[in-house]
Amino acid sequence: MARKTKEDMQQTRRDIINAARNVFSERGVSRTSLEQIAAAAGVTRGAVYWHFENKAQLFVALRDDVAMPLMDVLEAALQVDAGSDPLGAIECFLMTYVERLESDLTTRQTLEVLINKCEYTGELGEALKCVMRRSHDLSERLHIAYQKAAEKGCLREGLAPDAMARDTYAFLFGLVRLWIVDREDNEFRTSARDMIRTHIAMRRA
């Protein structure tokens, strides 16, 4: 019975996150209340507070719901041996990110909420600090990959691994943002893979 109760609680948490994603996407984060999320999830307001102290905490959980699996993809790509290609691993991760945007509605909807449906003010100001701290983890992992590339002689001479990690992080953030808003011309959506290949090729020795 205890196991079933734990599973039920996990499912309720999942239902709340899914409901928040849908309501945030429709109304925007600032105009959404926990009561509206509870109603959309089919639970009580108290159930929402059982899992999340406030909207900011729920917002961070929503972000982590997509970001953590993508971090796992990067972690797997960067588990390289002595004969592998660290720059290729970075390229693989960037390609996978775009593939998730294209094929996974949850990823696409969540990133659209983060980019277009949220004002990072008030209580969400603290949420932004948490998001940025976790984004720093991505930059650190990229730094490790670029350092390995430099050690193997794959990285073009004169390029610093830490600067390249920051540059790739900024490139990814900009590409995702442009991909999300590119609904009419479709320029960035169709050229995203070529942009990634060029981004990595320019760094190769």
Side-chain angles (χ1 to χ4, degrees):
M1 182 64 70
R3 181 180 176 184
K4 185 177 187 300
T5 300
K6 182 178 179 180
E7 291 172 351
D8 288 344
M9 290 176 63
Q10 290 174 340
Q11 183 59 51
T12 298
R13 188 178 190 277
R14 167 65 53 192
D15 291 342
I16 293 169
I17 291 175
N18 289 338
R21 181 183 300 109
N22 291 329
V23 182
F24 285 160
S25 181
E26 179 182 348
R27 300 179 56 86
V29 177
S30 63
R31 295 195 302 164
T32 297
S33 67
L34 292 180
E35 289 86 349
Q36 290 166 332
I37 293 171
V43 301
T44 65
R45 189 169 182 267
V48 175
Y49 276 114
W50 175 265
H51 292 277
F52 305 100
E53 291 182 6
N54 49 45
K55 187 163 63 174
Q57 191 179 87
L58 174 53
F59 179 81
V60 171
L62 176 74
R63 186 261 185 189
D64 287 349
D65 194 44
V66 163
M68 298 312 293
L70 285 170
M71 289 295 283
D72 289 342
V73 169
L74 177 59
E75 192 69 33
L78 298 185
Q79 296 302 313
V80 293
D81 58 30
S84 60
D85 177 13
L87 293 181
I90 297 173
E91 181 174 328
C92 178
F93 165 67
L94 296 174
M95 290 291 190
T96 300
Y97 209 115
V98 170
E99 289 169 6
R100 292 285 180 88
L101 274 172
E102 292 175 341
S103 64
D104 186 64
L105 176 61
T106 296
T107 298
R108 188 163 61 249
Q109 193 176 38
T110 299
L111 291 172
E112 186 169 12
V113 167
L114 295 174
I115 292 170
N116 288 337
K117 302 289 186 175
C118 180
E119 296 179 355
Y120 291 96
T121 58
E123 63 178 329
L124 289 180
E126 289 301 314
L128 177 60
K129 293 179 182 178
C130 182
V131 168
M132 291 307 297
R133 283 195 301 269
R134 296 182 186 183
S135 295
H136 181 71
D137 293 340
L138 170 57
S139 184
E140 284 295 310
R141 284 177 168 85
L142 290 171
H143 184 193
I144 292 170
Y146 275 115
Q147 186 63 50
K148 288 182 178 179
E151 292 168 359
K152 293 174 183 295
C154 303
L155 188 63
R156 186 157 56 88
E157 187 176 353
L159 299 182
D162 58 340
M164 290 302 95
R166 291 192 298 270
D167 185 65
T168 294
Y169 176 79
F171 167 79
L172 176 60
F173 180 82
L175 180 59
V176 169
R177 184 180 183 87
L178 290 168
W179 197 99
I180 290 293
V181 302
D182 186 21
R183 295 179 175 177
E184 296 182 5
D185 296 337
N186 215 31
E187 176 184 358
F188 289 98
R189 295 190 178 193
T190 56
S191 62
R193 287 177 175 79
D194 287 339
M195 292 173 66
I196 291 170
R197 294 187 188 99
T198 300
H199 179 82
I200 298 300
M202 292 174 64
R203 285 148 179 76
R204 287 193 180 277

